[in-house]
Amino acid sequence: MFKVLIAEDEPPIMRMIKSTLESVDSDFCVKECCINGKSAVEKLKNEDFDIVITDIKMPIMTGIELAGWIYQNKPDTKVIIVSGYSDFEYARKALEYKVFDYLLKPISKDKVSELTARIKSEIGSKSKMSDDNNTIVVLACAGAYLLYGSEVLLPGERFWTDSGIDTFMDNLLTPSEEYIFFNSNMLSERLMVITAETEERQEELIHKIYDGFSNKNLPVTIVYQKGVLFKDTGKYFSKLREQLIKHLILNKSQLLCCNSLSDSYEDISQPYSKADVDSIVFAIKNRNNDELKNKLTAVMNNMMSSDCTQEEINGLLNIILDTYTLNYPNHMKRKNTSVKKEFVNALASFVSYDAFIADIISILATLRNDKRDPDRYEQLANEVEEYLINNYNKNITSDVLSKEFGFVPSYISRLFKRQKGVSPNEYVTKYRIEKAKKLIEENNDLRIKDIADAVGFKESYYFSKTFKRETGMWPTEYSARDK
């Protein structure tokens, strides 16, 4: 008989886990149920348990903190993390604390049955996956990558929620193979850990994953490391992202193996000359937007045909800006840091080269003359605001706003922020959270996933993380604040 302790702050979910576990396998008996990690620690100090099943997010003491305490004080106790948050930072800690398994909600009887069978076969001995170099670590990026928090509504954000990745992977893997996927801190990216017995099978899987996702509506770059020890997977994700930044090409899907990629920048080319930069700068100085478009398009076409990376294109734009600032300091009407941030946002919003060039021209045209038209700005900002309010629960991206209002994303973002004090992305986020707060206040029985869906978040993890950032509380804490 396996003695089980459950730590879960939502009683209905706690009861569901208990009844499912005990109905699936009578060898598992839930002896204690706690509503937070601190209560669980008190029970564990006085009694030994074989298994602890814990939610990852709880008030007072989280499941990760509980797992850390168990790792230090009760190393023979097996910890099962249960969560609606497929976030790598949580999973990295789970791996560090030797957590036995990491299950994503909703939890079915089939998942519990598989878990109990694995516990019976492996408890008391090392898991095979921790001993063999049988793991692939994968970073997949839909569209462009993002350097830091963006003011734009990213086209790649909804790619993964609409991709059916769970079903795809379930159909791809054999019963002996496993995978976990996580949300990156970057909205357009996903992280995966996949186990397969042989290097040949690892290669086969990664190519099938690439084929499955590289022919959709956005280019996808997949960077991977094969032959990794499962316990070491957390060490590789920063390396994968470094390689993504070095090699991502905006309009091209790529499959990149870190085992063979160089860590240096020796292969970076420069398919433009000083004369190209000077001609673009001269066109900006003369306020000649037609010439600016022609020169910039010619350079970008050359860069595109040379498979230049996103990083190289950003580098060119910064060189153009810095050259203009040095040559014509008295004509410079904007701060370099602000313009460079707009370059990053324009790159992150990339859907096509034509739209991107139009966006960059709009930004560069403000260097020489950044006159404001309050009436026009106010009218357009109000129209954008009305659109955001009426469509807050739908898929809104910078490209959607651009098509709706006929202006490039950087222009819409710039004028909206001047009038409203926040970017469109920040505005719609705050509006969604206010709507979510009202839903929670009006109906405490709603699931977090249902609330997230209702206000336009297609992933409960991002909703909960955003809710915490905006309100200082997790949704479950907000729901329980008056109880």
Side-chain angles (χ1 to χ4, degrees):
M1 181 71 69
F2 294 99
K3 287 175 59 179
V4 181
L5 181 150
I6 297 175
E8 167 62 64
D9 65 325
E10 297 191 45
I13 296 177
M14 180 192 294
R15 291 192 294 269
M16 180 275 295
I17 295 173
K18 181 179 186 298
S19 62
T20 302
L21 180 65
E22 293 181 339
S23 66
V24 162
D25 195 322
S26 59
D27 286 339
F28 289 78
C29 179
V30 178
K31 294 290 187 181
E32 294 287 349
C33 291
C34 304
I35 60 172
N36 58 60
K38 185 177 179 181
S39 298
V41 166
E42 294 304 316
K43 298 290 184 184
L44 286 161
K45 286 179 179 178
N46 299 317
E47 189 175 355
D48 290 330
F49 292 84
D50 299 302
I51 308 292
V52 171
I53 301 175
T54 177
D55 189 16
I56 206 164
K57 277 293 173 187
M58 298 180 291
I60 304 177
M61 185 179 191
T62 68
I64 287 294
E65 291 169 333
L66 173 59
W69 186 92
I70 293 171
Y71 177 69
Q72 293 292 334
N73 298 279
K74 297 276 186 174
D76 292 333
T77 301
K78 304 300 180 185
V79 178
I80 315 297
I81 293 286
V82 177
S83 177
Y85 309 89
S86 53
D87 176 46
F88 172 66
E89 284 306 311
Y90 298 139
R92 182 182 64 79
K93 279 292 185 184
L95 293 171
E96 181 180 324
Y97 295 144
K98 304 296 188 293
V99 167
F100 186 81
D101 211 339
Y102 185 102
L103 300 180
L104 294 178
K105 299 175 183 176
I107 302 171
S108 66
K109 282 192 173 184
D110 288 341
K111 287 182 181 178
V112 174
S113 180
E114 291 174 5
L115 174 64
T116 57
R118 195 159 77 83
I119 289 172
K120 283 183 171 182
S121 66
E122 298 182 22
I123 197 165
S125 63
K126 278 193 174 183
S127 169
K128 188 175 186 299
M129 71 167 41
S130 67
D131 292 333
D132 296 339
N133 293 19
N134 64 349
T135 302
I136 320 167
V137 190
V138 181
L139 171 61
C141 178
Y145 66 78
L146 184 62
L147 285 175
Y148 45 71
S150 175
E151 295 183 348
V152 294
L153 296 143
L154 299 173
E157 179 176 353
R158 294 295 175 91
F159 180 93
W160 296 112
T161 58
D162 297 336
S163 67
I165 188 170
D166 274 322
T167 302
F168 178 85
M169 294 300 295
D170 286 342
N171 292 334
L172 179 62
L173 300 182
T174 66
S176 64
E177 296 167 342
E178 298 181 64
Y179 84 99
I180 312 171
F181 84 90
F182 315 108
N183 297 317
S184 166
N185 289 330
M186 307 302 168
L187 299 179
S188 298
E189 298 171 14
R190 288 296 181 273
L191 302 163
M192 286 190 281
V193 174
I194 307 166
T195 62
E197 290 300 325
T198 65
E199 184 172 332
E200 291 75 15
R201 176 58 175 166
Q202 291 176 31
E203 281 290 337
E204 179 185 4
L205 286 175
I206 201 68
H207 280 87
K208 286 184 176 180
I209 292 169
Y210 176 72
D211 291 341
F213 293 108
S214 62
N215 55 4
K216 294 184 182 290
N217 60 338
L218 275 178
V220 174
T221 304
I222 294 179
V223 191
Y224 69 100
Q225 181 93 21
K226 61 185 179 180
V228 175
L229 285 170
F230 183 79
K231 66 182 180 66
D232 292 336
T233 52
K235 301 176 182 178
Y236 286 90
F237 285 120
S238 59
K239 177 182 178 181
L240 295 186
R241 193 150 203 280
E242 287 174 5
Q243 295 297 340
L244 174 75
I245 291 173
K246 290 178 184 177
H247 295 281
L248 184 140
I249 298 170
L250 287 173
N251 63 331
K252 181 180 179 180
S253 290
Q254 294 185 94
L255 180 61
L256 306 169
C257 179
C258 271
N259 299 76
S260 56
L261 286 177
S262 169
D263 285 331
S264 72
Y265 283 82
E266 293 175 1
D267 296 332
I268 286 184
S269 57
Q270 186 174 298
Y272 56 86
S273 64
K274 182 178 182 300
D276 292 326
V277 173
D278 289 341
S279 65
I280 292 171
V281 168
F282 193 68
I284 298 170
K285 185 257 184 184
N286 289 335
R287 298 192 179 102
N288 190 337
N289 284 353
D290 289 338
E291 183 69 6
L292 173 59
K293 180 179 180 180
N294 291 336
K295 295 293 185 182
L296 187 62
T297 300
V299 172
M300 286 296 174
N301 286 342
N302 193 25
M303 296 187 82
M304 182 171 60
S305 63
S306 301
D307 280 344
C308 284
T309 65
Q310 178 178 343
E311 186 175 39
E312 290 174 281
I313 292 173
N314 190 55
L316 167 65
L317 297 176
N318 288 334
I319 288 172
I320 292 170
L321 175 64
D322 292 339
T323 303
Y324 180 83
T325 303
L326 287 170
N327 289 349
Y328 308 106
N330 295 331
H331 293 173
M332 184 66 181
K333 303 298 182 182
R334 302 192 60 199
K335 293 181 179 178
N336 275 35
T337 53
S338 177
V339 177
K340 288 180 178 180
K341 188 171 184 179
E342 288 189 21
F343 289 158
V344 170
N345 286 334
L347 285 160
S349 300
F350 183 91
V351 290
S352 72
Y353 263 100
D354 288 343
F356 174 68
I357 289 171
D359 208 351
I360 295 303
I361 290 171
S362 174
I363 296 169
L364 294 176
T366 67
L367 305 185
R368 182 72 175 87
N369 184 3
D370 196 26
K371 287 183 180 179
R372 304 186 182 192
D373 184 345
D375 292 337
R376 185 184 184 196
Y377 278 12
E378 183 178 6
Q379 179 183 351
L380 184 54
N382 288 340
E383 290 174 359
V384 173
E385 180 181 34
E386 183 179 3
Y387 182 86
L388 295 175
I389 290 172
N390 291 335
N391 297 276
Y392 72 92
N393 58 346
K394 298 177 183 177
N395 180 13
I396 306 174
T397 66
S398 290
D399 186 48
V400 169
L401 291 180
S402 180
K403 291 175 181 176
E404 179 71 23
F405 295 99
F407 296 100
V408 294
S410 65
Y411 180 80
I412 294 174
S413 180
R414 186 165 63 250
L415 72 87
F416 190 90
K417 190 165 187 177
R418 282 177 174 175
Q419 293 295 313
K420 305 297 180 180
V422 293
S423 68
N425 186 30
E426 293 166 332
Y427 183 93
V428 75
T429 296
K430 291 179 183 295
Y431 191 84
R432 285 168 170 167
I433 295 303
E434 288 303 313
K435 286 289 186 181
K437 287 164 65 177
K438 289 182 180 179
L439 283 175
I440 294 172
E441 290 164 2
E442 293 167 359
N443 190 344
N444 277 328
D445 295 330
L446 281 176
R447 297 184 306 166
I448 299 302
K449 184 180 186 304
D450 293 333
I451 297 171
D453 286 340
V455 298
F457 288 88
K458 296 306 177 186
E459 290 183 333
S460 56
Y461 159 73
Y462 282 127
F463 166 68
S464 294
K465 190 172 183 179
T466 304
F467 194 97
K468 170 72 171 179
R469 187 186 70 228
E470 295 293 325
T471 68
M473 289 182 281
W474 298 100
T476 51
E477 293 176 295
Y478 188 83
S479 177
R481 72 196 190 289
D482 295 327
K483 293 180 181 179

